[in-house]
Amino acid sequence: MAKKTSRKATAESMAAKQRDISVSEFFAKNRHLLGFDNPRKALLTTVKEAVDNALDACEEAEILPDITVEIVELDAPPAPAKGRGASGAAGKYKVIVTDNGPGIVRKQVENIFGRLLYGSKFHRLKMSRGQQGIGISAAGMYGLMTTGKPMVITTKPGKRKAAHHLELAMDTTKNRPEVTMDVETDDFPETSSGTGTRVEITLEAKYQRGKTSVEAYLEQTGIANPHAEITFIPPANGGRADDDDQPTLAGEESDLAVAEKAKAEHAENAGGLLRTIRLDDRVIFPRTVDELPPETSEIKPHPYGVELGTFLSMLKKTDEKQLGGFFKREFCRVTPAILKGVTDQASTKGNSISGQSWIKSIDHAMAERIYKALQQAKLRAPPTDCLAPIGVRQLLAGLLKGVSAEFYSAATRPPAVYRGNPFQIEAAIAYGGGLPGDEPARVIRFANRVPLLYQQSSCCSFKAVVETGWRNYQMSQPRGSLPVGPVVVMIHMASVWVPFTSESKEAIADYDEIRKEMKLALQECGRKLATYLRKRQKMRREGQRRDVFERYIGEISRACNALTGADAEELYERLLKQARRRTEIADAILDEDGKVIGSKAEANAGRRDPLDGDDGVIILDDPPSPDDSPNAPAPTTTPKAPAKRSTKSPTKKKPARKPSSAGKKKTKAPTTKKKPKRSGAAEKPRVRVKLQAAGESQANLFS
Amino acid sequence: MAKKTKKTTKKPTSKKRTSKASKKAAGSDGATRPARNPKTTEKTRKRVISLAEGVVKSSLAGREPKLEVPTRALSNTKWNKSRRILQMGSAAQERQLFNLNQSKKFMQTLLHAKGVKELLDRDKTSSLRGMFYQGLHTISGTKEKTFDDQSESDGILEDLEVSLGSLREELHIFAKKRGTMVGNITVVDNGDEIDCRRMGTGGYAIPSICEPSVIQFKDVQADFVLHVEKDTVWQRFNEDRFWETHNCILTEGSGQPPRGVRRMLHRLNKELGLPVICLLDCDPWGHYIYSVIKQGSISLAFESERLAIPDARFLGLRAHDYERCDLSDDVQIDLNDRDIKRAKQILDYPWFKGDRGWKKEIQLLLKNGFKMEVESLITKDISYVTEVYVPERLEAEDWLA
């Protein structure tokens, strides 16, 4: 799926220098490092890799991602025996991930899917998803090892070109791909872009619902990537409890039509809000933003973030001949003036250096002195255009989709730096509505748009949530724990280098700078929430006030009529108008500072888009009741709001599968095709959120 | 009218003084505006209407309707040292419709304004209670009544009085009768001659409206007025024919005297030159009653000019009477915290503060730690108060002023 264009010799060259290590052996020994600790996690990791790759590929090709994830149960996991952990019992599953990305040219397929640890994201300082590090090939290998089934890849690189169907096994001893089947096929679902890739991996796994399930992962991915539309088709019997023979019947009719219809209906029901759609056989996390994240640039290392050893090896490896050129090319923020100061400080009697000094002449001691002087020099913070935060709007759109609450607020912190690495923290809060009120807050964490599902309590963001004084924001919080209340807290860290606590990359390391930023972001959201809550109280009071006024106005106008002969009706109307005006706060929509940004009446009349305000806060008038879907990880929504805006016509058709026959595909011609653009794109019917809010850094995220 | 009195000496000889209900005199003195004068009625009517007009005007202009109500509180009363009365300051409160705390009062004020206009239009008078019922109804669409109780309504009427600058009488409203009078005087009440010497045991009930237009004095022989606090004491004096033996007028105000009684006393003092002597309990409340009679009350400071009697005297009971009269321990009633607090408050009033006698009196009361009622003198003898106590003090002119 994803193209991995450049390569750095790592495992490969090492293996060549020493002696061949069986990759499968290595893999079997270290599967926990790679996220295949247990069958349940293996399934998630496989989906994760495939989805991350799909998103990366789509974004690189500037295609709005449409991703379908299907899990088919081949062999159900055996019922857990007594005394054995549930995760130990594995079944056999097939994971099918289809995207509408650019496709892959035939000759690259083996390289991309067939080799382990083949990638480029590791060394560069650029914000990218490649956080899980092991790639889809590891998932393929895991599948091959556990079930003996090769990875099946179908890719369509051009609209008019035929799709390739490949079956890919791996020579595990040589870490080389082995193509077992290679045919051209027209059996590829129609996608919006006309191109696309499908990966099928059969593996030993276990499908389970819950906090760390595939579904939760996809849901959170949807929140962090509001520009992507993700459809999840869970295994027929592992899915919903009410899953009887309904899907089959629906499938008979036309999956596609049913899905589209449901989506349109859903949008109508939600009063124009796009939210997670739960159908009998699938879950759709719809696209809520029609613009791709901006592209980020790669940055050079900042001297503060480089260790001595790295510095030395950089000196050794550089092609530059002189110190000045070296610093200019390899580092950021080292200006000639600073370099002069550094070299002056590093110079000793009889060994004076400057920017013109030859690198060859720098010995170890001198390099160390330069390094020290560099660390002491006053340097500007690294550039931050390498960061692409999700953005307040997008955060809100994402949360709105996944979490049904009544109040949403989001905040993006300005970029900050830890150890020379720029990073940016974003936080969002959803409050009230359908969220359970007596449970600890749910914290969802992201690093570079990738959800982190495991090791919550060792994560920096978790600590930041605990350390934030939620009582100031009208919430209860037991000492040293999460706040309790109907609240979902979301934290996103965007950085060129996210510091994870471990290789499994599941928790962000606890740097003071990072935690401080996280707390500041949370406080910002919390303040908005507190303002809202206070304002809500005030609104209630104002409502009562208005009642009082309205009660008396009739009496007053009648008395005045008797006294002066003034028109009682007119007087009543005028006073009523004034009373309404004076208590208009009662039906006001509030912005983050508690300022009135509109009134309910106005909103209902024009059905304002809740995301249109420029405030980082969304407040819904009619949040769904908590009993809407009590068992779902995040309550899905069927708001009772009457349809006010339903002009949105379905603009594209999605491929859909019969849930009963997993392997077979059914295609339909798309009615419309869309060509998304990066920021600045013209408004399309479905554009609901302007991507760049003023003040957000314009940078690019993925490539 | 007040000018008609020729002498205001302390002990006038029994001269026949007559005070006629004179329309000639009316209006010459702002303090004695007669009610039911067509001119005043018209003036009051105009004021009531203009009050509502202000509301209508600002409502139609989209401004917030407001009423100005002069503040009736200690903070807005001024002690006029030279005239020795309490006067109302210029501070006024805005009563706003769109203020939750004032909204209902605003409505009630207009409701009563409407009621007053009706009274004026139809030339009727109504009682405070009557006004309460007149304005009382359930607000349409709610279960809320316009007034919770009469005291709420009474307060609004007082507000209306001050904000219109018209007296209650001019609004054609009277209070429940309270207070009784007997003595060597004949009054003409709405044309009926009433000889207060022939009132039996009940006495003449002092009406709520004692304006010259309603009540005129005729055949006054009394030398002074003795005002007692309560009906029970008054009964004692009446039974003992004290007013006859001492040639005086005997009044009673059932505790804090209502406006009618105070107006009557004021007129007896100002128009007929009769000194007013008070016999009240020896406790902070008795002292305050005296203070109200003497300088006017805080809440009715705007009417002080026509109610206050700066020359009124306080005859008793005095704190030292316990020893002087050799009373038994049984008459002592311990001062409670509220009494002590009140006494200290009274001591702090500017009109008491400068008076040495009063300072001593209150300090002694506090030192004693007990209060006494006038009735306590009965422990000496049933008629001790009428036969010994009061005559002795009057003779000795032993009083506080």
Side-chain angles (χ1 to χ4, degrees):
Chain A
M1 286 183 169
K3 284 185 220 166
K4 302 190 175 170
T5 43
S6 80
R7 49 175 288 210
K8 297 237 169 165
T10 50
E12 242 197 342
S13 55
M14 276 162 59
K17 270 178 211 156
Q18 299 156 350
R19 64 182 176 87
D20 280 344
I21 295 173
S22 160
V23 178
S24 61
E25 222 174 68
F26 172 84
F27 190 80
K29 268 187 182 168
N30 295 301
R31 47 163 74 174
H32 60 279
L33 287 183
L34 308 173
F36 295 90
D37 320 19
N38 57 54
R40 194 175 163 191
K41 211 165 163 190
L43 187 69
L44 177 63
T45 306
T46 305
V47 170
K48 211 166 170 175
E49 289 305 330
V51 169
D52 284 355
N53 281 348
L55 286 172
D56 279 344
C58 288
E59 278 158 19
E60 197 171 340
E62 305 197 350
I63 294 167
L64 285 172
D66 281 331
I67 296 170
T68 307
V69 178
E70 180 172 6
I71 295 177
V72 183
E73 189 177 88
L74 303 175
D75 289 332
K82 263 185 191 172
R84 257 190 96 195
S87 58
K92 209 196 246 176
Y93 288 87
K94 191 197 267 184
V95 172
I96 307 158
V97 177
T98 314
D99 66 39
N100 63 338
I104 303 160
V105 288
R106 168 64 193 88
K107 61 175 180 183
Q108 279 291 329
V109 172
E110 291 98 315
N111 275 341
I112 289 166
F113 294 101
R115 284 166 133 190
L116 206 55
L117 300 176
Y118 181 91
S120 64
K121 292 171 187 170
F122 190 76
H123 287 288
R124 62 181 184 178
L125 281 181
K126 180 170 175 175
M127 193 175 154
S128 64
R129 269 201 187 85
Q131 295 298 337
Q132 301 310 312
I134 24 145
I136 186 73
S137 44
M141 187 178 290
Y142 176 81
L144 191 66
M145 277 164 52
T146 52
T147 65
K149 290 270 173 66
M151 211 183 329
V152 179
I153 292 132
T154 315
T155 179
K156 193 167 185 248
K159 269 182 206 174
R160 286 180 195 83
K161 283 180 195 159
H164 288 281
H165 175 95
L166 284 103
E167 287 186 9
L168 210 61
M170 259 165 283
D171 185 338
T172 48
T173 48
K174 285 184 193 153
N175 194 18
R176 288 278 167 217
E178 217 171 69
V179 177
T180 56
M181 186 180 171
D182 182 2
V183 291
E184 282 200 357
T185 174
D186 51 2
D187 173 30
F188 191 76
E190 203 65 51
T191 61
S192 57
S193 59
T195 56
T197 306
R198 183 178 65 224
V199 182
E200 295 178 38
I201 297 171
T202 309
L203 73 162
E204 204 171 77
K206 190 177 183 205
Y207 178 78
Q208 218 170 22
R209 306 185 57 176
K211 235 162 96 183
T212 51
S213 65
V214 172
E215 188 176 331
Y217 167 77
L218 291 176
E219 181 184 33
Q220 292 184 20
T221 304
I223 290 173
N225 300 279
H227 62 286
E229 175 149 329
I230 302 170
T231 306
F232 175 53
I233 304 171
N237 61 349
R240 303 168 64 82
D242 56 342
D243 213 4
D244 42 356
D245 51 354
Q246 208 54 33
T248 331
L249 288 172
E252 223 83 68
E253 199 183 294
S254 159
D255 278 358
L256 196 70
V258 168
E260 278 305 325
K261 216 168 86 189
K263 226 161 94 182
E265 249 170 44
H266 194 86
E268 215 167 285
N269 286 337
L273 292 177
L274 278 178
R275 296 193 126 152
T276 307
I277 304 162
R278 269 161 219 278
L279 301 178
D280 285 343
D281 64 327
R282 68 190 65 203
V283 183
I284 301 169
F285 306 101
R287 174 174 304 126
T288 48
V289 178
D290 273 5
E291 281 174 69
L292 286 161
E295 207 163 323
T296 52
S297 54
E298 197 175 328
I299 61 159
K300 293 171 200 159
H302 190 274
Y304 286 172
V306 173
E307 268 150 35
L308 180 60
T310 321
F311 181 69
L312 292 174
S313 72
M314 282 167 88
L315 267 180
K316 206 171 273 174
K317 274 196 277 185
T318 185
D319 298 332
E320 292 289 330
K321 302 281 185 260
Q322 287 173 310
L323 264 187
F326 167 73
F327 276 109
K328 196 174 170 195
R329 186 158 146 186
E330 302 287 348
F331 286 99
C332 65
R333 298 300 192 222
V334 184
T335 59
I338 285 171
L339 179 61
K340 179 152 191 315
V342 167
T343 49
D344 286 353
Q345 206 191 327
S347 298
T348 52
K349 260 185 198 169
N351 190 1
S352 156
I353 56 160
S354 72
Q356 274 79 48
S357 300
W358 299 107
I359 286 179
K360 269 190 258 171
S361 69
I362 307 278
D363 60 3
H364 188 282
M366 177 55 82
E368 215 175 312
R369 276 206 299 281
I370 293 174
Y371 178 77
K372 258 188 197 153
L374 209 51
Q375 297 304 308
Q376 284 160 14
K378 272 199 172 175
L379 300 176
R380 278 182 63 200
T384 52
D385 60 347
C386 53
L387 299 173
I390 299 176
V392 166
R393 246 97 267 280
Q394 282 78 349
L395 278 172
L396 289 176
L399 266 185
L400 204 56
K401 169 169 69 176
V403 180
S404 73
E406 88 183 74
F407 173 88
Y408 301 83
S409 74
T412 299
R413 294 285 309 158
V417 177
Y418 81 93
R419 272 187 48 207
N421 292 316
F423 71 98
Q424 199 162 6
I425 297 297
E426 291 171 290
I429 292 180
Y431 179 89
L435 300 170
D438 48 358
E439 287 169 24
R442 187 170 152 232
V443 180
I444 50 181
R445 303 165 291 138
F446 298 92
N448 286 352
R449 292 189 183 231
V450 177
L452 308 176
L453 295 182
Y454 289 95
Q455 293 189 21
Q456 171 172 273
S457 53
S458 58
C459 184
C460 178
S461 59
F462 181 83
K463 285 174 191 159
V465 174
V466 169
E467 279 178 25
T468 305
W470 294 96
R471 284 184 206 171
N472 298 337
Y473 313 128
Q474 325 234 327
M475 251 182 282
S476 64
Q477 183 183 22
R479 189 176 290 273
S481 46
L482 292 172
V484 175
V487 68
V488 172
V489 179
M490 168 178 168
I491 295 185
H492 175 235
M493 174 173 181
S495 177
V496 292
W497 189 251
V498 178
F500 287 107
T501 51
S502 68
E503 287 307 306
S504 51
K505 299 184 175 175
E506 283 154 348
I508 300 168
D510 191 10
Y511 279 94
D512 282 348
E513 295 93 331
I514 297 174
R515 202 172 58 216
K516 182 183 146 213
E517 281 296 315
M518 284 175 170
K519 271 157 75 181
L520 286 171
L522 287 172
Q523 281 162 8
E524 202 174 307
C525 293
R527 276 195 298 275
K528 291 172 189 170
L529 174 64
T531 316
Y532 167 71
L533 291 177
R534 275 197 300 271
K535 215 74 190 180
R536 199 172 63 172
Q537 277 176 350
K538 191 174 175 201
M539 276 161 72
R540 238 177 250 147
R541 276 205 306 275
E542 286 290 302
Q544 288 163 357
R545 247 184 90 193
R546 169 180 297 178
D547 286 350
V548 171
F549 296 156
E550 287 185 357
R551 237 179 288 156
Y552 298 152
I553 283 170
E555 295 293 329
I556 287 163
S557 25
R558 244 168 293 152
C560 283
N561 168 263
L563 282 162
T564 67
D567 185 354
E569 285 282 311
E570 191 191 355
L571 203 60
Y572 179 77
E573 286 305 320
R574 292 292 183 93
L575 282 172
L576 196 63
K577 223 170 106 188
Q578 227 186 107
R580 295 242 157 98
R581 206 182 64 224
R582 275 170 204 284
T583 54
E584 68 192 349
I585 229 161
D587 45 22
I589 289 171
L590 307 164
D591 70 1
E592 65 193 290
D593 299 322
K595 281 188 226 130
V596 178
I597 56 169
S599 72
K600 257 183 207 161
E602 195 185 310
N604 288 335
R607 198 62 207 179
R608 276 163 37 99
D609 191 318
L611 293 168
D612 273 355
D614 192 20
D615 44 45
V617 168
I618 296 178
I619 295 159
L620 298 181
D621 306 340
D622 38 16
S625 58
D627 53 353
D628 263 1
S629 64
N631 297 323
T636 40
T637 60
T638 0
K640 296 155 279 184
K644 289 268 160 59
R645 198 174 69 169
S646 55
T647 46
K648 182 180 82 76
S649 58
T651 49
K652 68 189 164 105
K653 296 278 174 185
K654 279 179 48 66
R657 260 175 255 267
K658 271 189 201 176
S660 46
S661 55
K664 286 193 178 172
K665 299 119 236 159
K666 205 154 113 190
T667 59
K668 277 228 167 147
T671 48
T672 325
K673 276 172 197 161
K674 299 203 303 169
K675 177 91 185 160
K677 284 179 189 160
R678 302 254 179 213
S679 35
E683 294 254 324
K684 286 181 211 78
R686 276 193 66 200
V687 171
R688 309 188 53 246
V689 174
K690 282 164 209 109
L691 190 65
Q692 293 297 334
E696 264 173 40
S697 69
Q698 284 254 1
N700 205 329
L701 192 54
F702 314 108
S703 71
Chain B
M1 230 158 147
K3 307 287 173 309
K4 276 206 124 185
T5 340
K6 281 156 211 158
K7 270 176 150 189
T8 48
T9 43
K10 220 183 291 168
K11 289 212 171 162
T13 46
S14 56
K15 242 187 225 167
K16 195 175 172 185
R17 287 182 218 97
T18 318
S19 161
K20 272 179 198 150
S22 53
K23 273 161 200 167
K24 313 165 238 169
S28 65
D29 184 351
T32 53
R33 274 185 302 246
R36 299 226 189 172
N37 178 333
K39 257 190 197 164
T40 349
T41 305
E42 191 47 39
K43 214 156 95 191
T44 314
R45 247 186 107 238
K46 271 188 185 150
R47 284 184 189 163
V48 175
I49 290 170
S50 78
L51 180 92
E53 265 169 352
V55 172
V56 172
K57 217 172 146 189
S58 48
S59 305
L60 293 184
R63 277 179 281 123
E64 175 170 10
K66 284 177 202 163
L67 295 174
E68 282 226 331
V69 180
T71 315
R72 292 186 292 119
L74 181 59
S75 60
N76 194 32
T77 48
K78 279 185 197 147
W79 167 235
N80 188 328
K81 218 170 175 177
S82 60
R83 298 183 65 187
R84 292 184 296 152
I85 57 170
L86 276 175
Q87 284 179 318
M88 182 122 105
S90 56
Q93 278 176 318
E94 276 188 346
R95 183 159 292 173
Q96 296 160 331
L97 168 59
F98 296 113
N99 176 323
L100 204 55
N101 298 327
Q102 301 170 357
S103 193
K104 188 166 190 181
K105 281 191 173 169
F106 185 95
M107 179 268 294
Q108 290 168 335
T109 311
L110 279 168
L111 219 56
H112 270 335
K114 178 185 148 198
V116 165
K117 186 176 172 262
E118 225 174 288
L119 287 179
L120 295 173
D121 285 348
R122 297 175 60 184
D123 197 24
K124 302 251 178 192
T125 56
S126 177
S127 64
L128 288 174
R129 188 138 188 94
M131 285 306 286
F132 165 58
Y133 276 113
Q134 201 179 336
L136 182 70
H137 58 262
T138 307
I139 297 165
S140 58
T142 64
K143 284 181 179 169
E144 190 183 345
K145 289 188 172 171
T146 46
F147 293 98
D148 288 341
D149 51 29
Q150 196 196 328
S151 63
E152 208 176 32
S153 157
D154 291 356
I156 295 292
L157 285 171
E158 279 182 6
D159 287 343
L160 202 59
E161 262 179 86
V162 260
S163 41
L164 293 174
S166 303
L167 301 173
R168 190 161 73 194
E169 293 75 19
E170 291 169 350
L171 302 179
H172 286 206
I173 296 163
F174 58 85
K176 192 183 131 196
K177 277 193 292 273
R178 225 169 67 195
T180 338
M181 179 166 106
V182 283
N184 273 331
I185 189 170
T186 302
V187 295
V188 180
D189 185 344
N190 207 17
D192 297 336
E193 274 191 27
I194 291 157
D195 188 351
C196 292
R197 299 166 193 90
R198 302 159 62 86
M199 296 311 295
T201 54
Y204 168 58
I206 301 171
S208 163
I209 299 176
C210 293
E211 293 308 306
S213 56
V214 182
I215 303 232
Q216 298 95 37
F217 302 132
K218 207 179 160 186
D219 189 17
V220 184
Q221 274 143 12
D223 294 330
F224 65 97
V225 181
L226 181 70
H227 178 78
V228 299
E229 184 167 336
K230 292 166 275 201
D231 184 48
T232 47
V233 182
W234 183 87
Q235 291 289 5
R236 173 88 267 117
F237 279 88
N238 190 28
E239 200 178 282
D240 292 350
R241 309 293 282 181
F242 182 86
W243 54 271
E244 218 170 45
T245 52
H246 288 82
N247 189 27
C248 67
I249 298 168
L250 198 58
T251 59
E252 163 271 321
S254 305
Q256 185 67 258
R259 268 198 261 182
V261 172
R262 287 170 59 198
R263 180 71 178 136
M264 179 66 90
L265 291 174
H266 177 90
R267 285 188 65 204
L268 291 171
N269 178 260
K270 291 277 157 162
E271 293 173 24
L272 306 177
L274 303 180
V276 174
I277 295 160
C278 304
L279 181 64
L280 306 164
D281 287 347
C282 176
D283 61 20
W285 315 101
H287 297 163
Y288 190 67
I289 290 172
Y290 170 70
S291 160
V292 167
I293 291 173
K294 194 175 159 81
Q295 317 34 241
S297 70
I298 290 166
S299 67
L300 291 176
F302 63 101
E303 285 204 89
S304 291
E305 280 184 20
R306 50 186 287 278
L307 293 178
I309 310 158
D311 289 325
R313 279 111 196 216
F314 184 82
L315 188 82
L317 243 37
R318 303 282 296 276
H320 61 241
D321 282 341
Y322 176 69
E323 287 185 355
R324 197 164 54 167
C325 302
D326 194 23
L327 296 172
S328 71
D329 289 357
D330 308 326
V331 302
Q332 297 182 0
I333 304 170
D334 288 343
L335 287 173
N336 58 29
D337 292 347
R338 260 180 73 209
D339 292 331
I340 293 168
K341 207 176 140 198
R342 189 85 184 101
K344 283 178 178 163
Q345 242 173 35
I346 287 170
L347 191 58
D348 221 34
Y349 285 147
W351 47 98
F352 279 125
K353 215 174 176 179
D355 193 304
R356 277 179 138 196
W358 270 107
K359 212 170 160 184
K360 267 170 85 180
E361 175 71 21
I362 295 172
Q363 276 166 351
L364 184 60
L365 170 75
L366 288 170
K367 199 182 141 209
N368 280 350
F370 59 83
K371 51 191 180 182
M372 290 176 293
E373 288 184 304
V374 177
E375 286 92 330
S376 64
L377 297 172
I378 289 175
T379 54
K380 300 285 286 182
D381 180 81
I382 293 178
S383 289
Y384 180 79
V385 66
T386 55
E387 284 164 9
V388 183
Y389 185 86
V390 174
E392 267 181 15
R393 299 285 175 284
L394 282 174
E395 196 56 41
E397 296 191 11
D398 179 8
W399 52 52
L400 286 170

